[in-house]
Amino acid sequence: MTPTSPPSTVLVTGGAGFIGSHACVELLDHGYEVIVVDDYSNSTPQVLTRVERIAGRFVGAVYELDIRDRRALSAVFDRHSVDAVVHFAAHKAVGGSTRMPVEYYDTNVGGTTALLRTMHEHGVHQLVFSSSCSIYGDAGPGPLDEATPARPTNPYAASKWICEQILADVCHRCPEYTVLCLRYFNPAGAHPSGLLGEDPHGTPDNLMPYVAQVAIGRRKRVHVFGADYPTPDGTAIRDYLHVMDTVEAHRVALDHLADGPGMRVYNLGVGKGSSVLDVVTAFSEACGRPIPYEVAARRPGDVAELVADATAVARAWGWRPIRDLADTCRDAWRFQQLNPHGYAGSARRPNTKA
Ligand code: UD1
């Protein structure tokens, strides 16, 4: 464990989720006091027991609440002296967002404004916001930098873009705010211990957990959504970023909240595109056997290529990903092997009483 300076208390919303749980480990490892709120809508309380086991430290408190519930949120801020918030809590399935747009706007946008209002009432003005490359829409090919115009093509992406605009306006009007907005490309993989990984409820929407479940035998084959894209092998290209690199960027962001007020926006990605078939091949190598797949129709709302130009964050903070697709698949496979049924059946950490 390495010490941090100065010690501070960070509220992590969605702290039991895929990226949130890995972020908790990273923050605990660096001496932060971590408070978690989560509604477990796409996660389980068991995750936090694993977080504490890896970090060798306890999470300060865990509250089960809906991020839109200002009364419950306010009680958390009353009880803890929060210095900064890392806000992950949101719905994230692109397909689900096209079927349930109102729910997505309510949770993702309404959740963010509820959080902001509560922060404001408690004099907390430092936020790291979880945004998404999906706001760029169909802007490829070629690496996209932060100046690429936002053209969201689905309600999930639109909800993230609306939040970014709200946060930019708040920072513009209220000089006490510092907001660091991180636009992730495709976070994937798992903690190298194999204790923590991606365990979505139901059928995975995302490629990497789906491939992992095929590899372990829970599903028959991968459905490759479209092989007629204008890419070298015809399948869609994404920029897969190891979740540990992703959360390291958040820890570095916390250090840079002190750089001064205002909103700053950075892409987080590797800067290298991998096709769906590249992922299938890399995972086959990681697990030592071929992953069966079949080509299916394109998924509505998908785009051909999304690859990051992440040079701005490297210049500003010196953050660069250090893991590649092979590392990402190896760690995702280790988690899947050690947890063939995800977190089901593992020990549950009790919530803190509100
Ligand atoms: C999307 C968002 C991204 C968000 C992520 C969170 C877009 C453009 N990107 O990523 O910002 O962070 O969701 O969930 O909206 N695929 C298959 N078979 C599968 C699953 C996926 O072929 O079973 C393909 C998809 O068509 C896509 C690629 O794999 O081309 C990656 O898909 P996925 O993992 O779902 O991520 P995105 O849709 O890129």
Side-chain angles (χ1 to χ4, degrees):
M1 194 173 94
T2 47
T4 185
S5 59
S8 57
T9 301
V10 179
L11 175 70
V12 180
T13 76
F18 171 46
I19 307 175
S21 58
H22 290 77
C24 289
V25 170
E26 177 71 9
L27 300 189
L28 288 169
D29 275 350
H30 285 78
Y32 287 93
E33 175 81 357
V34 173
I35 310 297
V36 167
V37 300
D38 203 298
D39 69 353
Y40 304 126
S41 56
N42 195 27
S43 61
T44 43
Q46 286 90 325
V47 174
L48 294 160
T49 312
R50 306 274 186 106
V51 164
E52 293 174 335
R53 200 167 132 200
I54 297 169
R57 285 184 60 207
F58 289 111
V59 172
V62 179
Y63 297 93
E64 181 172 357
L65 60 80
D66 185 315
I67 193 70
R68 293 165 294 186
D69 182 348
R70 283 203 289 125
R71 186 188 290 238
L73 208 48
S74 192
V76 175
F77 280 83
D78 284 342
R79 190 176 289 189
H80 303 276
S81 174
V82 173
D83 298 302
V85 179
V86 183
H87 179 35
F88 294 108
H91 290 316
K92 64 157 196 153
V94 170
S97 80
T98 60
R99 291 188 297 276
M100 300 176 290
V102 176
E103 188 167 335
Y104 270 67
Y105 289 121
D106 191 26
T107 300
N108 295 5
V109 181
T112 299
T113 54
L115 173 66
L116 265 182
R117 186 149 174 205
T118 313
M119 287 172 63
H120 196 80
E121 285 161 3
H122 289 80
V124 180
H125 302 115
Q126 299 199 311
L127 177 70
V128 179
F129 178 69
S130 159
S131 188
S132 166
C133 68
S134 60
I135 67 164
Y136 298 128
D138 201 357
L144 306 174
D145 68 15
E146 293 82 355
T148 308
R151 270 195 298 253
T153 57
N154 56 66
Y156 162 72
S159 72
K160 290 291 179 182
W161 176 233
I162 292 167
C163 288
E164 281 203 21
Q165 291 172 90
I166 291 170
L167 292 168
D169 196 40
V170 168
C171 286
H172 174 64
R173 292 170 199 286
C174 310
E176 63 273 30
Y177 278 88
T178 306
V179 176
L180 302 176
C181 218
L182 303 179
R183 294 179 180 161
Y184 320 144
F185 279 66
N186 288 60
H191 189 272
S193 64
L195 286 171
L196 218 54
E198 193 167 6
D199 181 29
H201 290 178
T203 307
D205 288 306
N206 298 115
L207 181 63
M208 193 71 77
Y210 200 103
V211 172
Q213 291 191 8
V214 172
I216 201 75
R218 275 172 69 180
R219 301 185 189 278
K220 277 208 173 68
R221 61 182 67 85
V222 177
H223 302 279
V224 174
F225 296 148
D228 56 349
Y229 284 105
T231 61
D233 66 17
T235 66
I237 291 178
R238 297 288 183 274
D239 183 332
Y240 295 91
L241 175 68
H242 197 294
V243 66
M244 295 310 298
D245 282 321
T246 312
V247 299
E248 281 166 21
H250 289 72
R251 193 248 312 151
V252 173
L254 288 173
D255 293 341
H256 285 277
L257 282 167
D259 290 352
M263 170 142 145
R264 292 179 283 285
V265 178
Y266 296 112
N267 286 339
L268 295 187
V270 175
K272 183 175 179 305
S274 305
S275 71
V276 176
L277 291 182
D278 289 338
V279 172
V280 170
T281 303
F283 213 100
S284 300
E285 280 164 16
C287 72
R289 54 179 166 274
I291 307 266
Y293 69 86
E294 70 183 23
V295 173
R298 288 184 183 193
R299 187 170 64 176
D302 271 349
V303 302
E305 178 173 335
L306 274 172
V307 177
D309 175 339
T311 50
V313 67
R315 262 198 315 276
W317 298 345
W319 174 87
R320 284 178 189 82
I322 54 173
R323 299 160 182 91
D324 63 12
L325 183 63
D327 299 323
T328 304
C329 292
R330 182 203 58 220
D331 290 335
W333 174 234
R334 185 181 299 113
F335 173 75
Q336 193 65 66
Q337 266 183 307
L338 293 175
N339 307 274
H341 300 287
Y343 296 113
S346 58
R348 181 191 164 137
R349 185 198 191 286
N351 296 322
T352 307
K353 291 261 180 302

